[in-house]
Amino acid sequence: MLRKMAWAGVGAAVAASVASGVLAAWEAYRAIGAPRSRIRPYVAGSPNFSNGTFRNTDPAVPFSPRQAPDLFFSIVLRGNTGAPARQVPLAVPLAPASAGELAAAWFGHSSVLVEVDGHRVLTDPVWSERVSPSQRLGPRRMHPVPVKISQLPQVDAVVISHDHYDHLDQRTISDLVRLQAAPFVVPLGIGGHLRRWGVPERRIIELDWGEETAVGELTISCAPARHFSGRGISRNVTLWASWVLRGPRRSVFFGGDSGYTDSFADLGNRHGPFDLTLLPIGAYSDQWPDVHMTPEEAVQTHCVLNGTPSAGVMMPIHWGTFNLGFHSWMEPIVRLTRAKEAQGVRTAAPMPGQRIDFLKPLPRNEWWLGLA
C-alpha cells in the first residue's frame, strides 16, 4: 500500500512537472509574438524596408559571431556587477485628477507616464518581473514596479519604441487591453505582435518614420532611432523608432532605445526645440557601441535636438531597472551628472515612481548615492 502511494506521488510530481514545462513553453511561444509571415504584409511598402529587413539611416557595426565567446564569458564573469548594493528606494506614485502641462512619472527603465498639455502618454510599459519570453529565465527586475498597472489613470495613448522584451511586454499589453481604452501607437510591424496578442485592430496605429497621428490635441510623430529589433530568430523585420509628442504649447522627445545618430540633428531642426527629452543612458557596452547611447552621448543628443544646451530639460531613462550591460548600477547616472555639468544641461532624474512637474523647481535629491 505504501509503495503504491509512493509511486502515485512520483507520478503526480512528474505529471505536474511536465504540465508546468508545457505551460512555460506555451507562454514563451506566445510572448515571442507574430512570425515574419504575419508581419511582412504591413511593412513591405515602407521605403525603409529593403531585402526583407529594416535598416538604420546610420549603419551600425553588425554583431559578429566571433564576438559570441567574449560576450558569453563577459556575462558569466560579471557576477553582481550591475546590481545595486542595497534596495532601490521607491517614491509614492502621484497622479493628479487631470494631466498637467508638462510632467512625467518614471516607473523604471523606459516606462514613463508623460503628461503633455493635458494628455497622458504611457511609453514602453513593462510590468513583468523578467524581460524575456520566459518568466523563469532572463534579466530580472532590480526593483519592484512602483505602482500596480490597475492603479494607473486612464491614458490617451500607449507608445512603443520597438519590440525588444525590455520595451514590449506581452503580459503588460494584455493587461492594458483590459484596463485601458487608449490606442497603441507603434512602429511598423509591431502591430503584428499586438494582433497576435488580441489587441483590437481599432486600437492599433502603425507608423513609419516621418508619419504622425493625432490623439486629441496631441500630435504623435514617428522618428528615426539607431537600433535594431527582434524577439526570436528573425531580426529587423519590425521597425524601431523615437517619438515626438507635441501639444499646443509643449513638446516632448522620447528616445526609447537608441545609439547616437546624425539624424537627430535633422530631427531637431524639424521638430525641436523640446521642453523635455527622455533619453536612454544605460546598458551601453563596447560590444554594441552604436545601438545604445552612453550618458555623454545622451547629453550630446539633448543639445543637438534643442540647438543649445540651455533649452529644455533632459530626463534619463533606460537605466537602473534591468541589468543589461556590464557597467555598475550607478555608473550611468554618475557619468550623466558629470556630462550635464560640463555642458550646462538641466537634468532631472526621478526615483522609480516619482512624478516631476517640469514647470516647477526641479528636485535636487541625489537618491542614487550609496547604491553602487
Side-chain angles (χ1 to χ4, degrees):
M1 184 67 177
L2 291 176
R3 182 176 296 179
K4 289 183 179 180
M5 292 176 63
W7 278 110
V10 170
V14 170
S17 178
V18 170
S20 177
V22 170
L23 178 60
W26 166 248
E27 289 177 343
Y29 171 75
R30 178 172 168 76
I32 289 173
R36 181 192 292 262
S37 60
R38 295 290 185 91
I39 295 172
R40 189 178 179 90
Y42 294 90
V43 303
S46 169
N48 300 303
F49 189 77
S50 177
N51 296 323
T53 62
F54 286 99
R55 301 180 185 276
N56 286 298
T57 54
D58 291 342
V61 176
F63 184 83
S64 168
R66 289 178 295 179
Q67 295 174 264
D70 288 341
L71 179 60
F72 173 78
F73 284 113
S74 295
I75 294 173
V76 170
L77 297 175
R78 71 180 174 183
N80 288 328
T81 300
R86 57 184 177 85
Q87 187 174 356
V88 176
L90 304 179
V92 177
L94 299 174
S98 299
E101 185 175 335
L102 184 67
W106 184 52
F107 300 134
H109 206 54
S110 297
S111 301
V112 185
L113 185 59
V114 187
E115 301 171 39
V116 187
D117 287 334
H119 299 79
R120 286 190 172 102
V121 177
L122 183 61
T123 67
D124 286 359
V126 174
W127 259 252
S128 285
E129 183 67 16
R130 295 183 186 270
V131 284
S132 164
S134 170
Q135 287 303 297
R136 301 183 180 206
L137 299 170
R140 191 170 189 171
R141 186 176 289 278
M142 294 188 290
H143 64 77
V145 184
V147 62
K148 293 181 180 179
I149 197 167
S150 60
Q151 295 174 325
L152 291 176
Q154 287 295 304
V155 302
D156 297 285
V158 179
V159 168
I160 305 294
S161 63
H162 65 297
D163 71 358
H164 286 160
Y165 292 99
D166 55 321
H167 296 260
L168 179 66
D169 178 56
Q170 181 262 322
R171 291 187 176 195
T172 302
I173 295 298
S174 296
D175 286 341
L176 289 172
V177 170
R178 177 173 51 88
L179 297 169
Q180 298 274 345
F184 294 85
V185 186
V186 301
L188 283 180
I190 291 182
H193 299 316
L194 302 187
R195 294 179 187 95
R196 188 175 182 86
W197 298 335
V199 179
E201 187 68 37
R202 58 183 170 78
R203 292 182 61 180
I204 301 173
I205 301 173
E206 288 184 87
L207 300 178
D208 202 349
W209 291 342
E211 295 181 339
E212 62 185 31
T213 189
V215 176
E217 292 186 294
L218 190 68
T219 300
I220 303 177
S221 303
C222 183
R226 192 181 190 189
H227 203 56
F228 64 104
S229 66
R231 296 176 71 82
I233 298 176
S234 298
R235 267 194 171 191
N236 300 338
V237 297
T238 64
L239 187 60
W240 49 95
S242 60
W243 294 92
V244 175
L245 313 175
R246 181 173 295 280
R249 296 176 300 279
R250 302 293 178 179
S251 62
V252 175
F253 177 79
F254 171 58
D257 199 356
S258 177
Y260 183 80
T261 168
D262 290 337
S263 65
F264 285 149
D266 179 61
L267 198 159
N269 291 333
R270 288 186 290 112
H271 294 285
F274 296 94
D275 298 289
L276 174 64
T277 62
L278 309 175
L279 294 172
I281 67 166
Y284 47 83
S285 173
D286 292 340
Q287 299 271 12
W288 47 82
D290 302 320
V291 295
H292 280 170
M293 294 183 199
T294 64
E296 294 79 12
E297 288 172 328
V299 169
Q300 181 184 359
T301 298
H302 175 87
C303 295
V304 167
L305 289 170
N306 288 297
T308 173
S310 60
V313 180
M314 174 190 160
M315 190 179 109
I317 59 172
H318 202 269
W319 78 282
T321 303
F322 299 106
N323 190 2
L324 303 175
F326 304 117
H327 52 69
S328 70
W329 185 89
M330 203 168 68
E331 182 183 299
I333 195 67
V334 171
R335 287 176 58 172
L336 174 66
T337 301
R338 293 171 184 161
K340 66 104 172 182
E341 290 175 351
Q343 294 293 329
V345 170
R346 291 193 303 152
T347 66
M351 71 174 64
Q354 183 178 5
R355 176 184 182 269
I356 295 179
D357 187 332
F358 292 94
L359 300 185
K360 296 180 179 180
L362 299 178
R364 298 182 178 274
N365 176 29
E366 295 182 322
W367 57 269
W368 53 86
L369 294 179
L371 290 176

